Amino acid sequence: MVSDWSPAEFTERKMSLVMHLAGFIPSAYFSIHHLVDGIFWYGLSILPCALAILVSLFLLFTKPNSQGYKVADAWFLLLAIPPVLLALTQDSMHGEFFVPALILACFIHLPLKVAERLVLLVSLVAIILGTLHLGIHQGIRFSLGVVASHIFAWGLARVLVKQNNELKELAFKDSLTRCYNRRALFDELQKAKQQHKRSSIKATLILLDLDHFKLINDQHGHHAGDQILVWFSHFLQNNTRGNDRVFRYGGEEFLILLHDADFDMAYQASEKLVEAISQREAPLQLSISFSAGISCIKDDESIDDWIQRADLGLYQAKQAGRRQTWPVQFTSLET
């Protein structure tokens, strides 16, 4: 649903809708116009473009959380290249007017590295065909327009990619610790469940909570508490595997998603973290410890239940005296 979209996703969908409007009207018009006029070869070459847009619109509105519309958008652009270039060779088709729009659309809607190579080729072919058809004087004007469009669209695409990355950073990263946030967490847990269902690949959660964190805030102030949170998040990120994910779950709680790891592996990893942090000096020369609970993925279980079992383990660790992973016996919670 719309409420589930990140700012970047919402922007991408709006841009796709703009391209649909800009692409469908001329595609449908020219396809029908040339078919009626008996220029079947050209009318049929444009028809797939209009159909690709209709498919993209269908996916966009019927599957709002799917990325399938992007595939249809890419097909529309690829299918649009031959008719636009062919139009440059015909007197009555005025293909030169559509080359800049095609260049801009490719840079905006295709991956930047793909667009850079594809549009360079399209621009060179367009300049050659346009110059041959229009003549040297008009061809030079057309070529300058293509080059200007290419440079402008390339620069705009780079800015959009940068802004899109920043939007994703805001949407999925915690602003203080730079760990992934809860929005990213539920996306990752859903992927882990699907992977487990499809390939029986294990995934395990470690839910961690800093011990006596309220006391740090009360004695040293909230700024010191923030320093500890940032330090602790860096500690976790530097002491977990590359394919594991660290999330700030809320307040002083963090969650680690261990991919392809069973319960025993997660327990050992958590206890290594307990031991490692006891040997580190935190900011303000404070001694920091944490408690943790573990839960391994199970079939036919909701994400909330999966997290709840880890939370139960965390509660037991707190009750047992903190500074530990619960349970010591691996089967205490997982049976």
Side-chain angles (χ1 to χ4, degrees):
M1 301 304 293
V2 174
S3 58
D4 296 327
W5 296 345
S6 69
E9 291 171 328
F10 187 70
T11 301
E12 288 174 352
R13 281 167 168 80
K14 287 198 299 183
M15 291 172 61
S16 183
L17 284 173
V18 170
M19 186 180 74
H20 292 144
L21 180 63
F24 179 72
I25 294 176
S27 297
Y29 170 77
F30 284 115
S31 180
I32 295 171
H33 173 74
H34 288 94
L35 287 172
V36 171
D37 281 358
I39 311 177
F40 295 107
W41 67 271
Y42 194 72
L44 291 174
S45 72
I46 302 176
L47 185 60
C49 301
L51 294 177
I53 290 183
L54 290 177
V55 171
S56 182
L57 282 169
F58 174 79
L59 295 173
L60 199 60
F61 286 103
T62 61
K63 298 182 179 180
N65 291 325
S66 170
Q67 299 291 310
Y69 76 95
K70 291 184 178 180
V71 177
D73 285 351
W75 272 112
F76 161 70
L77 293 170
L78 294 175
L79 291 168
I81 291 172
V84 168
L85 294 178
L86 284 171
L88 287 170
T89 66
Q90 306 295 315
D91 291 329
S92 59
M93 293 182 181
H94 303 291
E96 63 270 19
F97 296 123
F98 296 98
V99 172
L102 179 63
I103 289 173
L104 181 61
C106 286
F107 268 120
I108 291 177
H109 293 281
L110 296 178
L112 184 57
K113 290 184 178 180
V114 174
E116 286 175 337
R117 292 165 174 77
L118 179 63
V119 175
L120 178 61
L121 178 61
V122 170
S123 296
L124 291 174
V125 174
I127 288 172
I128 294 170
L129 294 177
T131 302
L132 291 173
H133 179 68
L134 297 172
I136 188 64
H137 296 296
Q138 291 294 333
I140 290 175
R141 294 187 180 94
F142 170 68
S143 299
L144 290 174
V146 170
V147 171
S149 298
H150 191 129
I151 294 172
F152 169 76
W154 175 75
L156 178 62
R158 290 183 65 85
V159 171
L160 289 174
V161 167
K162 183 174 182 294
Q163 291 181 339
N164 188 50
N165 290 336
E166 290 173 352
L167 284 171
K168 288 181 178 178
E169 186 85 0
L170 291 172
F172 294 109
K173 290 291 187 72
D174 176 62
S175 59
L176 175 65
T177 63
R178 312 314 296 163
C179 290
Y180 291 103
N181 59 20
R182 290 183 69 148
R183 183 188 183 95
L185 169 65
F186 284 93
D187 285 347
E188 286 290 324
L189 295 186
Q190 189 62 44
K191 291 176 184 176
K193 283 182 64 64
Q194 292 171 354
Q195 191 176 37
H196 176 65
K197 184 177 181 179
R198 183 174 59 250
S199 307
S200 299
I201 296 176
K202 292 284 188 181
T204 306
L205 303 181
I206 304 176
L207 186 60
L208 313 94
D209 185 86
L210 287 169
D211 296 329
H212 305 296
F213 184 73
K214 185 178 183 299
L215 193 61
I216 295 174
N217 279 332
D218 291 343
Q219 292 183 350
H220 301 278
H222 289 281
H223 178 68
D226 288 347
Q227 285 183 284
I228 296 299
L229 290 174
V230 172
W231 176 84
F232 185 59
S233 69
H234 289 165
F235 165 79
L236 294 178
Q237 291 169 329
N238 291 332
N239 288 274
T240 50
R241 300 177 305 174
N243 63 330
D244 295 332
R245 292 290 179 268
V246 178
F247 305 85
R248 187 182 180 189
Y249 190 61
E252 67 272 23
E253 283 189 317
F254 290 78
L255 188 147
I256 304 174
L257 172 61
L258 291 85
H259 291 283
D260 196 17
D262 60 18
F263 188 77
D264 292 5
M265 292 172 62
Y267 176 81
Q268 294 168 10
S270 183
E271 283 297 276
K272 285 181 181 178
L273 290 174
V274 171
E275 177 64 24
I277 201 170
S278 67
Q279 302 172 8
R280 306 290 177 87
E281 188 175 90
L284 306 178
Q285 298 182 328
L286 295 175
S287 178
I288 300 299
S289 67
F290 68 85
S291 306
I294 300 173
S295 62
C296 189
I297 194 169
K298 287 185 177 181
D299 295 327
D300 302 321
E301 179 184 51
S302 70
I303 288 174
D304 289 338
D305 290 340
W306 187 11
I307 296 174
Q308 183 61 36
R309 287 192 293 110
D311 192 48
L312 176 61
L314 173 59
Y315 173 79
Q316 296 286 0
K318 292 287 189 182
Q319 292 296 107
R322 296 181 171 84
R323 198 186 293 264
Q324 61 184 288
T325 305
W326 185 268
V328 175
Q329 292 80 21
F330 297 150
T331 59
S332 296
L333 287 175
E334 296 297 312
T335 55

